[in-house]
Amino acid sequence: MNKIRKGDEVIILTGRDKKRRGIVSAVVGKDHLLVDGINVVKKHMKANPMNNNPGGITSKSMPIHISNVALFNKVTGKGERVLIKELDGVRTRIFRSDGSSVDNKS
């Protein structure tokens, strides 16, 4: 079970996007994430008429390492660490600071 999943709200801990928040759009491999609006780079694309691609300069979101993000806790307003506990035979993610469940957020 991964501590950070697709659809989670995270806060960036390091880099040029530090202290910005975003939603995880995809998990890339075992230790990288794609976060909407975070780590956006300019990519020079060559035109390809076979794929109907006009080319030019486009913006692209690049993966960020999982160690550079923390799960955002709406109650405390901070990024926090997560632990995984088994409650009633079901593995759930729990914030370390206050013990509230991550999965039962609404």
Side-chain angles (χ1 to χ4, degrees), residues 48-79:
N48 187 350
M50 296 294 283
N51 292 339
N52 201 14
N53 183 3
I57 301 173
T58 60
S59 295
K60 181 180 180 183
S61 185
M62 297 297 286
I64 187 168
H65 198 270
I66 200 165
S67 66
N68 296 331
V69 300
L71 212 54
F72 185 73
N73 189 350
K74 293 180 182 177
V75 176
T76 61
K78 297 179 181 178

Side-chain angles (χ1 to χ4, degrees), residues 1-74:
M1 173 182 267
N2 293 337
K3 293 184 178 181
I4 299 178
R5 300 181 194 160
K6 180 180 176 180
D8 287 341
E9 187 174 4
V10 294
I11 188 165
I12 309 302
L13 301 176
T14 60
R16 68 172 182 235
D17 293 320
K18 184 176 181 177
K19 297 183 182 176
R20 291 183 61 201
R21 294 191 325 215
I23 304 294
V24 176
S25 60
V27 177
V28 182
K30 166 171 98 167
D31 55 358
H32 283 83
L33 306 169
L34 278 176
V35 182
D36 293 334
I38 304 295
N39 201 19
V40 178
V41 297
K42 298 287 186 178
K43 184 86 171 154
H44 294 261
M45 302 292 289
K46 186 174 180 180
N48 187 350
M50 296 294 283
N51 292 339
N52 201 14
N53 183 3
I57 301 173
T58 60
S59 295
K60 181 180 180 183
S61 185
M62 297 297 286
I64 187 168
H65 198 270
I66 200 165
S67 66
N68 296 331
V69 300
L71 212 54
F72 185 73
N73 189 350
K74 293 180 182 177

Side-chain angles (χ1 to χ4, degrees), residues 1-3 5 84 91-93 103:
M1 173 182 267
N2 293 337
K3 293 184 178 181
R5 300 181 194 160
I84 298 173
R91 292 173 56 150
T92 58
R93 299 179 296 164
D103 299 324

